[in-house]
Amino acid sequence: MLKETAREGKVVVIHYTLTSEDGEVLDTSDGGEPLAFLHGAGNIVPGLERAIEGRAVGDGLNVSVPPTEGYGDRTGPGPQPVPREAFPDGVALRAGMMLAAEGPDGQQMPLWVAAVEDERVFIDSNHPLAGQTLHFQVEIVRIRDATAEERAHGHPHGPDGTAHHH
Ligand code: ZN
């Protein structure tokens, strides 16, 4: 029987551990739910998606992803202070959180909270992992066809395609 391989239009389910260059674990699915992504839809960083392309269930990979294939190089002035009162009350601001801001032409642009102080919040246009080489340890646990709905949405609806998250 021909093995399913990861390619466009497939939902790929992986267990992964992400470590920084100095070996710090930044994120892992270990002990939790595996991560499902729609291959070819940009759900994961390009360098990791490319490394997984053509692989089969059971394959294990160690992938080093440079910033240009990951979250990009750091650009701009870096974290900028914004008064705490500029944010609505009741929003629990914490470092690493993503905020959606509206750009000058009304386009959505992501911003990240870099640090939170009593009176000021530092906002950065760079992803927290921008400028870093990322090390992924990946095991492919499942590959299946994406449903028509998943392809239309550009993301998987859970490992089985049955999660109704919206
Ligand atoms: Zn959806």
Side-chain angles (χ1 to χ4, degrees):
M1 195 178 121
L2 209 61
K3 265 192 168 180
E4 286 263 53
T5 55
R7 58 194 154 84
E8 191 140 354
K10 298 286 183 184
V11 169
V12 182
V13 184
I14 60 173
H15 269 299
Y16 70 97
T17 297
L18 167 60
T19 50
S20 68
E21 257 167 308
D22 30 351
E24 185 197 350
V25 174
L26 301 171
D27 193 12
T28 183
S29 65
D30 206 15
E33 287 289 302
L35 173 78
F37 69 93
L38 177 59
H39 198 92
N43 296 166
I44 60 171
V45 295
L48 183 58
E49 188 167 74
R50 197 164 307 138
I52 290 172
E53 171 106 30
R55 301 304 189 107
V57 172
D59 282 1
L61 296 79
N62 279 294
V63 189
S64 279
V65 176
T68 51
E69 300 275 290
Y71 291 101
D73 290 315
R74 295 193 68 83
T75 58
Q80 298 294 304
V82 176
R84 178 65 180 83
E85 62 259 27
F87 297 90
D89 286 339
V91 175
L93 295 162
R94 54 188 163 67
M97 206 175 160
M98 191 178 82
L99 306 167
E102 201 156 283
D105 304 318
Q107 79 277 28
Q108 287 284 311
M109 43 186 278
L111 294 171
W112 284 270
V113 176
V116 181
E117 295 177 353
D118 285 346
E119 302 294 329
R120 298 184 301 178
V121 179
F122 287 82
I123 299 296
D124 195 353
S125 59
N126 295 291
H127 187 281
L129 297 176
Q132 291 201 43
T133 296
L134 309 170
H135 299 276
F136 289 96
Q137 194 190 331
V138 172
E139 192 200 343
I140 300 175
V141 295
R142 189 170 172 197
I143 297 171
R144 63 169 172 82
D145 290 326
T147 66
E149 192 182 44
E150 288 173 323
R151 284 198 301 273
H153 287 196
H155 57 228
H157 293 161
D160 301 320
T162 54
H164 294 286
H165 60 100
H166 50 200

